[in-house]
Amino acid sequence: MRRILVLFLLGSALAQVPIGVNLPEGSALSLSAEEVLFNLAQAPFPPPSFPYAYSPTSPSGPLTLSLFSNVEGGWALEVLAEPLVAEGGRLLSPSQLEVRLDGGPWVPLGPRVVLLTGSGPTAGYRRHLLEFRLVLTGQEAPGVYRGSLVFSLSRL
């Protein structure tokens, strides 16, 4: 009889374990390419007229921009552009680089441009097509110009 009673008590025993979740606040941003290159030696140069917009030679199509955010409230995706610099200090204005998001209007880059705003958490990663073009006026000196763009996703 004792054995049956012990088995019955073990069969109905309960255990309780506390559980918690700490979900950190976070954002993620990535681009499908690390470099955008305009090699005008591979393009029709000089163009038929100025101003003239050149597409990048690499990558040959739009970049994919992926972003995620779980922050409450508003957020903004910005791009910071500095002048492109050649040896000898020659400069191309960042406004000669234009960008468009998801086939929208072309926007000249300035020191800081807001590309996209949103509110609240994203439902997973949001993917956008990002295109660049270089607008030449005919006043540019020859050379290899280098620069960088810094993309940031921040809370408003």
Side-chain angles (χ1 to χ4, degrees):
M1 190 76 162
R2 275 188 182 189
R3 232 178 212 182
I4 295 173
L5 183 59
V6 170
L7 289 176
F8 176 74
L9 290 176
L10 288 177
S12 64
L14 298 173
Q16 183 176 352
V17 176
I19 187 167
V21 174
N22 180 7
L23 187 61
E25 183 177 277
S27 298
L29 182 63
S30 67
L31 291 169
S32 61
E34 294 181 13
E35 181 178 62
V36 176
L37 176 66
F38 297 89
N39 184 349
L40 302 188
Q42 297 178 3
F45 190 84
S49 64
F50 287 101
Y52 192 82
Y54 285 95
S55 296
T57 50
S58 176
S60 60
L63 279 74
T64 301
L65 181 137
S66 301
L67 68 89
F68 166 82
S69 177
N70 70 354
V71 299
E72 296 295 328
W75 49 264
L77 172 65
E78 295 179 308
V79 60
L80 173 65
E82 296 179 355
L84 293 113
V85 182
E87 289 183 25
R90 294 181 306 273
L91 301 175
L92 288 181
S93 169
S95 65
Q96 288 184 256
L97 279 175
E98 294 183 346
V99 64
R100 74 175 173 178
L101 192 67
D102 296 326
W106 288 102
V107 177
L109 291 177
R112 184 176 300 269
V113 173
V114 175
L115 291 178
L116 186 66
T117 59
S119 181
T122 59
Y125 275 89
R126 290 176 54 179
R127 287 178 172 66
H128 300 276
L129 295 180
L130 189 63
E131 297 173 89
F132 292 96
R133 70 181 183 182
L134 175 65
V135 179
L136 296 183
T137 64
Q139 303 301 311
E140 297 83 10
V144 176
Y145 293 82
R146 299 190 186 281
S148 63
L149 302 175
V150 177
F151 291 84
S152 63
L153 184 60
S154 57
R155 176 180 273 173
L156 291 178

